[in-house]
């Protein structure tokens, strides 16, 4: 993909629907006591993995335009073949929580990237509940087999702040023999807790999440826009010298919008022009060209902007002074090592960036130049490079098709705002 620099950025962006919420809606509707309806789900490679996952367990799904009608069987069936999770960590990890509830035998596998990602973090708590796993490297990596059922309630303190791990635990705990408890070091996205709190299946008491076993009642849900997808346009609007963008109907769950706090500290022109409080809050944003100053991001902030941390490096390149991120070791365990990939992409464009074990330091103010870059097959890296290129002197990106993992219409949406 060749990206040209642009003189002017204008327009309205309606970001695609939220990936995390679509995955969860599919999983919840599969263990529900009746038929559910999901309005405006995200259709992307990752969410289709989850859709196929639950279909292989006997869930019937009718796709009718922008609506999914989900009919779960009275009891999930044993899949007839191993389940392919592709590139999707959310499918594999939350999926393991769902399979841990079932006495039947199942096997999960994924692509090269997913096969390298850590699974011990979900295998451990679910094993403590009584599910049995086996897999590569002692059950730490896919392919992994699961045989579950008859789960015990446990109290568990996780060593990672991960919404996938937390949600996987909650899926298991909903089918355990008593009330379970879960604590994570720092708050990660809370879509699962918000959804289940509506039915009193989950109670959040400070840092502790209590899970009461029970059925998920059938439901209707409308999926809001994905903040992490919108974030590429938010950052484009801020770093580009001649821009004005409106972002419509984007999810504004505070456990997802850490980037907005960072932007505020940097002095960015970003305004929330509409805010609707709902189970998942959402609204509109207006962003404009900004004079940015460097910022420090702390460890406890990282989970609320985990997928946007690479964008902070790009913001730092357009800011005066230094931008430092620490405590972001988790970034090395994503679809690719995102610390290494961010440093690689931005340094090739002329950014002064230093790599740390758990983050980076960017010295702002240098002019970015064009480059030929690799996305490393990671959707968010391809989009980062594109935004950088539009705002500087262009880029050529190898391996750009991966944007379809989370944002299939990314390049056409980008084209729309380039004037
Ligand atoms: C996700 C949680 C995050 C995020 C991923 C989706 C989710 O991962 O990076 O893109 O849907 O729960 P962790 O919570 O494991 O860091």
């Amino acid at each position: 993909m060749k990206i040209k620099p642009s003189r002017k950025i204008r327009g309205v962006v309606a970001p695609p629907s939220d990936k995390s919420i679509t995955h969860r809606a599919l999983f919840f509707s599969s263990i529900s006591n009746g038929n559910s309806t999901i309005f405006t789900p995200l259709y992307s490679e990752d969410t289709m993995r989850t859709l196929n996952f639950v279909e292989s367990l006997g869930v019937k799904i009718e796709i009718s335009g922008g609506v999914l009608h989900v009919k779960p069987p009275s009891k999930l069936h044993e899949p007839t073949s191993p389940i392919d999770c592709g590139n999707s960590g959310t499918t594999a990890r939350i999926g393991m929580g769902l399979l841990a509830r079932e006495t039947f035998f199942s096997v999960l596998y994924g692509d090269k990237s997913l096969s390298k990602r850590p699974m011990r973090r979900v295998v451990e708590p679910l094993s403590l509940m009584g599910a049995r796993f086996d897999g590569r490297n002692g059950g730490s990596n896919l392919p992994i087999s699961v045989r579950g059922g008859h789960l015990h309630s446990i109290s568990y303190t996780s060593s990672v702040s991960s919404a996938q791990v937390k949600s996987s635990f909650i899926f298991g705990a909903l089918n355990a023999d008593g009330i379970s408890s879960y604590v994570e070091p720092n708050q990660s996205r809370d879509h699962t807790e918000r959804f289940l709190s509506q039915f009193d299946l989950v109670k959040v008491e400070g840092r502790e999440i209590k899970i009461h076993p029970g059925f998920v009642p059938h439901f209707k849900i409308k999926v809001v826009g994905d903040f992490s997808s919108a974030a590429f346009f938010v950052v484009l609007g801020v770093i580009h010298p001649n821009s004005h963008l409106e972002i419509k109907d984007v999810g504004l769950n505070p456990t997802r919008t850490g980037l907005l706090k960072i932007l505020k500290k940097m002095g960015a022109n970003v305004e929330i022009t509409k805010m609707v409080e709902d189970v998942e809050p959402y609204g509109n944003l207006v962003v404009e060209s900004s004079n940015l100053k460097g910022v420090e991001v702390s460890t406890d902030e990282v989970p609320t902007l985990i997928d946007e941390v690479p964008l902070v490096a790009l913001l730092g390149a357009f800011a005066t002074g230094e931008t430092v991120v620490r405590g972001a070791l988790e970034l090395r365990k994503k679809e690719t090592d995102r610390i290494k990939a961010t440093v690689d992409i931005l340094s090739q464009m002329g950014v002064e960036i230093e790599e740390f074990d758990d983050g980076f330091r960017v010295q702002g103010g240098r002019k970015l130049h064009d480059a030929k870059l690799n996305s490393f097959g990671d959707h968010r890296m391809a989009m980062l490079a594109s935004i950088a290129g539009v705002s500087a002197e262009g880029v050529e990106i190898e391996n750009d098709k991966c944007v379809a993992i989370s944002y299939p219409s990314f390049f056409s949406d980008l084209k729309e705002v380039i004037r």
Side-chain angles (χ1 to χ4, degrees), residues 19-20 24 90 93 121 161-164 189 306-307 330 334 380:
K19 180 159 82 73
S20 291
R24 284 159 174 77
T90 313
R93 296 202 178 108
R121 49 183 61 198
S161 303
S162 158
Q164 294 175 351
R189 62 189 68 182
I306 185 72
D307 290 337
E330 273 296 303
K334 296 294 174 189
R380 300 202 198 279

Side-chain angles (χ1 to χ4, degrees), residues 18-21 23-24 46 89-90 93-94 117 121 161-167 184 188-189 191-192 228 256 303 306-307 330 334-335 338 379-380:
D18 192 280
K19 180 159 82 73
S20 291
I21 298 173
H23 281 298
R24 284 159 174 77
D46 263 17
T90 313
R93 296 202 178 108
I94 303 186
R117 295 178 66 188
R121 49 183 61 198
S161 303
S162 158
Q164 294 175 351
V165 176
K166 176 172 61 180
S167 303
E184 60 183 341
S188 66
R189 62 189 68 182
H191 304 303
T192 302
S228 298
R256 289 289 296 279
I306 185 72
D307 290 337
E330 273 296 303
K334 296 294 174 189
E335 286 82 330
R338 286 187 181 158
H379 52 134
R380 300 202 198 279

